[in-house]
Amino acid sequence: MSSESWPLRIVRSIWRALDRVRRVLHLIFMLGFFFILVVGLAGQRVQIPASAALLIAPQGTLVDQLSGDPFERALAKAQGLQLQETLLRDVLDAIRAARDDARIRTVVLRLDGLAAAGLSKLQELGAELERFKESGKEVIAVGDGFTRDQYYLAAHADRVYMHPMGIVLVDGYSRFVPYYKSLLDLLYIDYNVWTVGEFKSFVEPITRDDMSPEDREASRAYLVALWGAYQSDVTAARELPAGALQRYADEIDTLLAEVGGNTAELARDYGLVDEIIPRDEMRARIRELVGNG
C-alpha cells in the first residue's frame, strides 16, 4: 500500500479546509437572504387599543402596482429605505376594515407625504372614504398645506385642519414636453421618422422645437376633461358653488390681496379648509375625539 507524500497531504488538508469555509459562507449567505426576505414580507404587528384612529399617510406616488420585484422591496425595507410608492389596494383594504371595526372611531388623513396620484385612483379612494362615512364615523384631514392631489382627498373629509402657514394650491392640470430638434441638429444626429395621418405627436420631441397644433388640441381635450372632473368631485364634496375652484385657480393673486396675502386665511374664508390650527392642537383634537368615543 502506497502512502501519500506529506506535501500532497498538506495540499489536500488545505483544500478540505477551504471547502468547509465555502460551505459555511454559503450557509451564512442563504440564512441572511431568508432573514431579509422574512423581515421584508412579515408585517409589523400593531396592537390596536379599544378606542383608536386609523391614520392614512400615503408616501410618494399612489400606484396600482409597486415597481420593482418583491426581493428589492424587502431588501430596501430591511435597510430602512423609504419606499416612494403607496399601493392603492392597501389603503382601500385598511379603510374597509376600519369601517366595521368598533375600535376605530375615525380616519385621519395626513397627506403631506403624498407626491402624486392619478385622478382615477383619487376617485376610487375618495369613493371609499364616502362609504366609510356612511358608518357614522368621521374622516379628518390634517396637513401643513395641500397640493392639488392632496386636496382632492382632503375635500372628502368631514373636517379639514391646516397649519396657519399653509396654503391650498389647486392649479389645474398641465402638460410639459421637452423638444430636442435643435439639439439634435447641433450634434449632427441623423434620424428617420415615418408617420401616417394626423395627431402623431409621439415623435414630435425630436422633429420639432414646439408643440404642434394637433398635439395642443389633443392635450387640451383630455386636460380640460380631467380638470372638469376634478372640479365636479371637489365642489360636490365640499359643497362649494359651481366654478369656485376655477375662480380660485385663475384669480388667486386678487383673492390673496383681499386678505393681505395670508394664504391660510384665504383657504379658510373660501371654504376649502375648516380651521387653521397648529400641529399640536390638531393632535389634541384627534385625541379628544377618540377619547370621547
Side-chain angles (χ1 to χ4, degrees), residues 25-91:
L25 293 177
H26 185 262
L27 179 61
I28 292 175
F29 173 79
M30 292 301 297
L31 290 175
F33 171 80
F34 284 112
F35 175 77
I36 293 174
L37 190 62
V38 169
V39 170
L41 298 180
Q44 183 180 4
R45 188 175 182 84
V46 178
Q47 296 295 331
I48 302 177
S51 180
L54 173 64
L55 176 64
I56 301 295
Q59 299 296 312
T61 305
L62 195 64
V63 296
D64 287 320
Q65 182 176 351
L66 297 174
S67 59
D69 57 62
F71 176 71
E72 291 176 348
R73 296 194 295 271
L75 183 61
K77 185 175 181 180
Q79 293 174 338
L81 301 178
Q82 182 70 44
L83 297 177
Q84 296 303 312
E85 291 179 334
T86 298
L87 193 61
L88 174 63
R89 183 174 63 253
D90 289 346
V91 182

Side-chain angles (χ1 to χ4, degrees), residues 157-178:
D158 296 286
R159 284 180 275 175
V160 182
Y161 298 146
M162 189 174 70
H163 191 273
M165 298 296 291
I167 181 174
V168 176
L169 187 59
V170 179
D171 54 353
Y173 288 87
S174 58
R175 176 173 179 255
F176 298 92
V177 182

Side-chain angles (χ1 to χ4, degrees), residues 111-210:
L111 304 168
D112 296 315
L114 179 62
L119 182 59
S120 62
K121 300 175 183 63
L122 294 174
Q123 289 175 325
E124 189 172 356
L125 185 49
E128 194 61 46
L129 291 171
E130 293 296 332
R131 284 189 287 270
F132 175 85
K133 292 192 294 184
E134 293 175 359
S135 66
K137 303 176 183 180
E138 281 191 314
V139 177
I140 299 175
V142 299
D144 293 337
F146 299 97
T147 61
R148 181 196 64 210
D149 294 340
Q150 294 170 359
Y151 187 73
Y152 183 98
L153 298 179
H156 288 79
D158 296 286
R159 284 180 275 175
V160 182
Y161 298 146
M162 189 174 70
H163 191 273
M165 298 296 291
I167 181 174
V168 176
L169 187 59
V170 179
D171 54 353
Y173 288 87
S174 58
R175 176 173 179 255
F176 298 92
V177 182
Y179 295 90
Y180 307 105
K181 182 179 184 303
S182 294
L183 175 63
L184 297 178
D185 292 342
L186 183 64
L187 298 175
Y188 297 101
I189 297 177
D190 295 327
Y191 54 88
N192 297 287
V193 175
W194 290 270
T195 62
V196 178
E198 299 178 333
F199 299 98
K200 305 298 182 180
S201 61
F202 180 79
V203 295
E204 285 186 0
I206 64 173
T207 60
R208 297 180 59 95
D209 283 325
D210 58 356

